Every structure is written in structure tokens, then in C-alpha cells.
Amino acid sequence: MKTQLLVIGAGATGMGIARDAALRGIKTIVVDKGAIGSGTSGYFHGLLHSGARYVTNDADAARECIEENIILKRIAPSAIHETGGLFLAITEEDCNFAPLFYLACKAVGIPAEELSPDMVLAKEPLVNPTLKRVFSVPDGYINGKKMLELNKLSAEKTQTPATFLEHHEVVKFLKKDSRIEAVVVKDESGEKTIECDMVINASGIWASQIGALAGADIQMTADKGAMLVTEEKLSTAVLNRCRPPSDGDILVPTANHSIMGTTSVKTDDINTHVVEQWEIDRLIKEGSVMVPSMATTVISTTYSGVRTLVGSTASTARGVSRSFKLIDHKEEGMDNLISMIGGKFTIYRKMAEVAVDAVCEKLKIESPCATANKVM
Ligand SMILES: Cc1cc2nc3c(=O)[nH]c(=O)nc-3n(C[C@H](O)[C@H](O)[C@H](O)COP(=O)(O)OP(=O)(O)OC[C@H]3O[C@@H](n4cnc5c(N)ncnc54)[C@H](O)[C@@H]3O)c2cc1C
């Protein structure tokens, strides 16, 4: 097999890259060791961030989120529920944080508006009635599975349709001088060699493993987060606690349920999906400050995923930026390998645009990104 671009990983990042590259006329193959969306993109919280969650501690990530929030609502309306979001100030500490939060939203360009608690309680009857202040923001719910499907269909409908090889694990890079000439993948029938001009490593939390296989050093922090799904839908809008990012501060409504999350724990086990009892207890305790019936509601399921955070220096994972990083491995002797790491599902399209811009520059292709305006 032969292709111009080989993408490793069929999560939000890799699927976004496939669509972007295919729309620019680049022949693309995406390989994944599992099914499409079987990595972190299948185990996330579902929040289409407005950016407000990060606005006081990570303004760059917040700005990226609000820009992409607007674009995704426009290009993928069938994968987004425009629920809106609320930041609830319930305790005195929350009220002390509120002015800082509101000013930071204005500075970044997030349209936050203060609402009357009585009006919000009339629309959201399960919210804590001791609510003191409340702000609306344009949060939403992303149906992750649907979004990946839309990207796949869009990438397949182009003049140069992308190819998706699920259950094909990258096991080896074949290099000559300063180039990767081919990538060896393994499926149940054995090994296949795919010759390629460029490789993008979009393998999320496994990016440093792929890097090591190619001879590149990628520094990342692995951060596990747990979520609880309630049998009953507890709100119509996304509910956020009006305080700095912390455990149990977001409740996301899906079509029929609510998802309470998350925790944040540095981990060495990047394949883990374990949810520990203390995580369940903490999410219920924190969640019931926003919605008291969280303490008694039926939890239908629990799950967890592992975030890829860029770098490895901060002492706690909450201190590491939620932004993304493009790594050109030229310095390490591989002219045609780049890695795209970190970020959020909300900003996958932007991450893909930046990665494919880099591919175009290397392959001397002049073709602008078309993903921000073409509806899926
Ligand atoms: C607990 C938690 C909650 C989150 N909540 C939100 C949220 O509410 N909103 C939001 O915007 N973001 C959220 N995120 C972040 C978001 O989920 C991730 O940023 C995003 O899903 C990462 O996508 P990805 O494509 O980079 O990685 P992944 O989805 O992990 O995709 C990488 C793929 O690479 C494949 N792969 C690995 N090794 C190989 C190999 N050797 N060969 C072939 N394929 C390989 C894997 O199988 C996987 O499918 C959350 C993350 C976590 C952990």
C-alpha cells in the first residue's frame, strides 16, 4: 500500500486530520489499533467547551475553545446539542470567585451574562435553591460518536477519499537516512507495509509510545478522569460550579441522562478505565452541591478516560495547560514525522488544521483548509 499521508490514531484528532487532508486533495490512510473512537475520544465527558471553565487559569485554551465552539455549532449541528451552560455560585467562595470569572470571560471574548437565580431555578428545578449568583455561557453537548462519523463520511466523500484501517496497530517504522519510508501495521492476518510521504502521530495518550517506536522523545502527562452517568436527566443546561477548575464541577446533559465529572489524577497506567470508590464518592459529594438530588439519584454507569497533557513539569495535572502542541521531529532526524498532542475534543478541528498546514508546507502543497466552513 502507498499513500501521501499516514495518520496514526482514529480519535477526534486523527479523524479531523483525515477530513482536513482529504478536502485539500491529499491521499490519506488512517490506521488505528482498535475501532474508530476507541481511545480517549470514546471516554470523554461530552462537553462542548465555551472556554469559560479555563478562563481564569488558561486564557489561551479558553480562547481556542470559544473560537472552535462557534465553528463546530456551524459545521456539525447534528452532532451538537446547544444546551447552553450555567456557572453557579452557591457558596461564599463561589461568590468571591464570580467577579474574577466574569471579567476574565469578557477579556477572552466569551459571552457570559449574569442571570437572576429565580429565573434559572424556574427552568432548572433540581438546582440548589440556595443559588446566589448565576452566569450563562455558550457551553453545549458534543455527541462524540456522531462527530467522528461525520468526519469519516466527509473524508470519504471527497475527490481523494480517505481510507480507514481499524484494528491495524503500528508496530514498526522503516527509516532511510532522515526519512520514514514506510510504516508497518499488524492486523489479525499479519503485517502490512504502508509506504508514505508523511506521517502524523495523532495517537493521543499513546503518542510517546509511537514516538519511542520511531526514535523520538515526547514528554507528556497522563491524567485520568472519572465520570458518573445518572439514570435521570438532572438539568437541561450544562451546569458548572463557579470556582477554579476542580473535581466534580461539571454536569453535562445528554439526550436522556446527565454525566457528572470529573476527577484528575496523574497516572502511569495509560490503558486504565478503572473508577475508584473515592472518585464516585467525591463526584457525588461535589455534584450534590450544585444539584442536591445527585446524592440520591441512581448512577447507571461509571467510566474513565486518560487525558494527554502537554509537558510533564507541573506538580498536579490541573496545573498543566489544556492546549495542544505540534511537534516536528526533524530535529530528531525524521523530516517527515510530526506529532499532534494534547488539546480537547472541542478543538480537534483546529488541531487538525494546524497539523495539515504543516504537512502541506513539507509536501509543498498549496491548498487552504476548508473545514471551518463546510457543513457536515
Ligand atoms: C476524563 C476526560 C474528560 C474529558 N472531557 C472532555 C470534554 O468534556 N470536552 C472536550 O472537549 N474534551 C474532553 N476531554 C479531552 C478529549 O477527550 C481528548 O482531548 C480527545 O478525545 C483526544 O483525542 P485524540 O484523537 O487526540 O486521542 P484518542 O481519542 O485517544 O485517539 C488516539 C487513537 O490512537 C490509537 N492508537 C494508539 N496506539 C496506536 C498504535 N500503535 N497503532 C495504531 N493506533 C494506535 C488509539 O487506539 C486511539 O484510538 C476529556 C478527556 C478525559 C480523559
Side-chain angles (χ1 to χ4, degrees):
M1 291 172 95
K2 206 170 172 176
T3 189
Q4 275 180 296
L5 173 62
L6 182 89
V7 181
I8 305 170
T13 310
M15 297 304 284
I17 290 170
R19 173 176 190 242
D20 191 316
L23 286 171
R24 298 199 214 199
I26 300 172
K27 190 165 187 276
T28 303
I29 295 178
V30 181
V31 294
D32 199 293
K33 66 178 178 177
I36 291 171
S38 58
T40 305
S41 301
Y43 295 87
F44 79 125
H45 198 171
L47 175 61
L48 175 72
H49 281 272
S50 61
R53 182 70 282 161
Y54 303 121
V55 78
T56 53
N57 67 322
D58 197 347
D60 289 342
R63 209 167 281 114
E64 285 163 0
C65 285
I66 186 62
E67 285 170 10
E68 289 302 307
N69 172 299
I70 293 166
I71 293 173
L72 292 190
K73 284 175 181 167
R74 186 173 66 228
I75 64 166
S78 63
I80 305 278
H81 299 194
E82 293 203 37
T83 61
L86 298 169
F87 272 70
L88 311 175
I90 294 160
T91 65
E92 207 180 313
E93 291 80 46
D94 298 351
C95 290
N96 291 339
F97 179 71
L100 176 70
F101 166 78
Y102 183 69
L103 286 177
C105 283
K106 294 288 162 201
V108 164
I110 297 167
E113 295 302 333
E114 182 151 18
L115 304 177
S116 112
D118 286 346
M119 195 186 89
V120 168
L121 289 167
K123 279 179 82 178
E124 300 284 5
L126 297 182
V127 164
N128 191 332
T130 68
L131 180 66
K132 296 189 178 60
R133 295 184 73 178
V134 55
F135 301 87
S136 68
V137 295
D139 285 339
Y141 165 64
I142 313 178
N143 179 335
K145 207 170 166 199
K146 175 87 185 169
M147 186 66 91
L148 299 186
E149 220 175 84
L150 291 178
N151 276 275
K152 178 169 186 278
L153 289 175
S154 175
E156 286 172 337
K157 266 195 293 182
T158 60
Q159 300 284 323
T160 44
T163 302
F164 297 89
L165 302 178
E166 297 178 86
H167 307 287
H168 282 70
E169 181 176 5
V170 171
V171 290
K172 206 189 294 174
F173 289 89
L174 303 180
K175 296 194 268 181
K176 189 170 177 206
D177 303 326
S178 59
R179 293 187 64 74
I180 291 167
E181 293 205 311
V183 174
V184 180
V185 293
K186 196 173 93 183
D187 72 352
E188 56 182 22
S189 64
E191 291 191 351
K192 290 177 194 146
T193 299
I194 306 175
E195 290 175 46
C196 50
D197 298 332
M198 274 297 304
V199 181
I200 300 182
N201 172 13
S203 58
I205 197 63
W206 297 273
S208 55
Q209 286 183 355
I210 293 290
L213 213 55
D217 178 31
I218 301 176
Q219 295 289 318
M220 308 183 326
T221 300
D223 173 44
K224 190 194 81 163
M227 286 138 293
L228 313 179
V229 182
T230 62
E231 201 164 277
E232 192 190 353
K233 184 167 171 172
L234 301 174
S235 66
T236 56
V238 174
L239 303 183
N240 302 264
R241 195 72 187 276
C242 189
R243 64 179 183 186
S246 39
D247 288 358
D249 58 0
I250 308 176
L251 184 70
V252 179
T254 68
N256 301 311
H257 309 276
S258 292
I259 312 175
M260 183 68 217
T262 67
T263 51
S264 173
V265 192
K266 277 192 178 186
T267 180
D268 293 326
D269 181 3
I270 60 173
N271 296 305
T272 184
H273 284 299
V274 165
V275 176
E276 296 190 40
Q277 189 58 46
W278 71 263
E279 295 181 289
I280 298 175
D281 295 344
R282 185 170 299 171
L283 292 175
I284 291 176
K285 180 168 171 262
E286 294 296 340
S288 52
V289 177
M290 292 197 290
V291 174
S293 59
M294 182 81 209
T296 49
T297 198
V298 176
I299 305 298
S300 50
T301 181
T302 65
Y303 64 100
S304 74
V306 182
R307 300 177 184 90
T308 313
L309 305 179
V310 176
S312 61
T313 47
S315 57
T316 66
R318 293 232 182 254
V320 183
S321 170
R322 266 34 179 183
S323 193
F324 65 89
K325 186 174 179 188
L326 177 85
I327 305 170
D328 185 337
H329 296 286
K330 194 175 171 184
E331 303 290 300
E332 290 159 296
M334 280 156 291
D335 280 351
N336 60 341
L337 173 66
I338 58 178
S339 294
M340 177 48 89
I341 60 166
K344 310 280 306 164
F345 202 122
T346 301
I347 58 169
Y348 84 89
R349 192 213 61 84
K350 182 73 196 172
M351 294 166 69
E353 177 178 345
V354 170
V356 181
D357 279 350
V359 168
C360 286
E361 202 180 314
K362 282 182 180 278
L363 296 182
K364 310 229 175 322
I365 293 171
E366 275 189 32
S367 183
C369 174
T371 57
N373 293 312
K374 207 169 159 49
V375 175
M376 295 189 279

